[in-house]
């Protein structure tokens, strides 16, 4: 399975600023996924990042607010722009791997980036 | 609205007790996955079920996929404090589209 490193692991940010989260994978992967986990909540998919093309955003998420880069097959960044306290969440990077035993695609996650916006 | 509803949302029980967590949907999934997340970590895959009616056991954890592939359950026997965490079911409906359930926060008291 892939090993994913995310940074920063946590940060405290001021309202109106932007922060970029980095995600590094130890193997080449086609798709990388960015999830948001609001306090006490489950995971919501923000976007899917493919290398060499624009990210695909889910309903309720837009590129201006969450620009994503995918410069190569092992790295992606998510920027949270013009932050407000409502953006305080854990942001998680994940990749999909094929599970041989089941034939299904499953997810491996980074440890997450906990952002607090004041 | 949540596509995958989990119940209960919260559960606090004594060590040694049994419990069941449910994951329900009106949609059919090609596979159903269960993850556990501990504080400061990302979710970690516990099991994948792909066949309607399938039952998988992982030590004290038993997972079942509904016959119609719309729902699943997780049963824990003789719960231990190490079982504490956020349990998430996740359904795959198409290639590269995995949707997470609402989550069940489990606390096991020693």
């Amino acid at each position: 399975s892939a090993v994913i490193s995310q940074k920063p692991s946590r940060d405290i940010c001021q309202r109106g600023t932007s922060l970029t989260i980095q995600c590094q994978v130890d193997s080449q992967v086609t798709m990388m996924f960015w999830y948001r986990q609001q306090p006490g909540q489950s995971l919501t998919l923000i976007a899917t990042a493919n290398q060499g093309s624009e990210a695909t955003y889910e309903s309720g998420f837009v590129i201006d607010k969450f620009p994503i880069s995918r410069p190569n097959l092992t790295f992606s960044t998510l920027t949270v722009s013009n932050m407000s306290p409502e953006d305080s969440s854990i942001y998680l990077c994940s990749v999909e791997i094929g599970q041989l035993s089941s034939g299904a695609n499953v997810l491996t996650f980074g440890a997450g980036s906990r952002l607090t916006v004041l | 609205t949540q596509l995958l509803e989990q119940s209960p949302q919260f559960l606090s029980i004594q060590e040694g007790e049994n419990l069941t967590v449910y994951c329900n949907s009106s949609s059919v999934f090609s596979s159903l996955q269960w993850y556990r997340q501990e504080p400061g970590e990302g979710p970690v895959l516990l099991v994948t079920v792909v066949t309607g009616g399938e039952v998988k056991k992982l030590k004290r954890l038993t997972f079942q996929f509904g016959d119609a592939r719309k729902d699943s359950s997780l049963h824990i026997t003789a719960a231990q404090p190490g079982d504490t965490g956020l349990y998430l079911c996740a359904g795959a409906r198409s290639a590269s589209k995995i949707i997470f359930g609402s989550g069940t926060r489990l606390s096991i008291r020693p």
Side-chain angles (χ1 to χ4, degrees), chain B:
Chain B
T1 55
Q2 192 81 33
L3 196 61
L4 275 166
E5 290 289 344
Q6 285 183 237
S7 61
Q9 189 177 358
F10 301 98
L11 187 58
S12 179
I13 62 171
Q14 202 72 36
E15 180 178 3
E17 293 183 359
N18 302 332
L19 67 108
T20 302
V21 177
Y22 299 93
C23 176
N24 295 301
S25 176
S26 57
S27 300
V28 176
F29 295 98
S30 58
S31 73
L32 204 297
Q33 302 155 24
W34 285 90
Y35 295 78
R36 181 170 67 207
Q37 184 181 23
E38 299 185 35
E41 301 292 329
V44 174
L45 179 71
L46 295 173
V47 80
T48 306
V49 285
V50 297
T51 305
E54 182 177 2
V55 177
K56 279 192 175 177
K57 290 183 184 293
L58 188 67
K59 297 183 180 178
R60 293 175 294 100
L61 278 60
T62 301
F63 303 85
Q64 185 162 7
F65 202 9
D67 291 341
R69 292 188 291 132
K70 295 181 180 180
D71 51 81
S72 180
S73 63
L74 157 61
H75 183 78
I76 301 179
T77 303
Q80 298 178 2
D83 296 328
T84 293
L86 177 65
Y87 287 80
L88 297 159
C89 66
R93 296 180 66 189
S94 61
S96 304
K97 187 83 169 186
I98 295 176
I99 301 166
F100 281 83
S102 48
T104 296
R105 193 165 295 279
L106 178 62
S107 174
I108 310 300
R109 304 187 302 273

Side-chain angles (χ1 to χ4, degrees), chain A residues 21-24 29 32 34 49-53 68-78:
Chain A
I21 302 166
Q22 299 180 9
C23 178
Q24 180 76 51
V29 293
M32 297 175 74
W34 287 98
N50 298 313
Q51 195 269 333
S53 64
I68 288 171
S69 78
R70 183 78 202 275
N72 57 53
L73 290 173
T74 63
F75 187 79
S76 178
T77 68
L78 169 75

Side-chain angles (χ1 to χ4, degrees), chain A residues 49-62:
Chain A
N50 298 313
Q51 195 269 333
S53 64
E54 291 280 330
T56 303
Y57 289 82
E58 297 299 307
S59 176
F61 298 97
V62 295

Side-chain angles (χ1 to χ4, degrees), chain A residues 83-105:
Chain A
M83 287 184 284
S84 66
E86 291 71 35
D87 294 320
S88 296
S89 290
I90 300 171
Y91 293 86
L92 293 146
C93 170
S94 73
V95 301
E96 190 174 60
I97 57 173
Q99 190 178 50
L100 288 177
S101 58
S102 69
N105 291 330

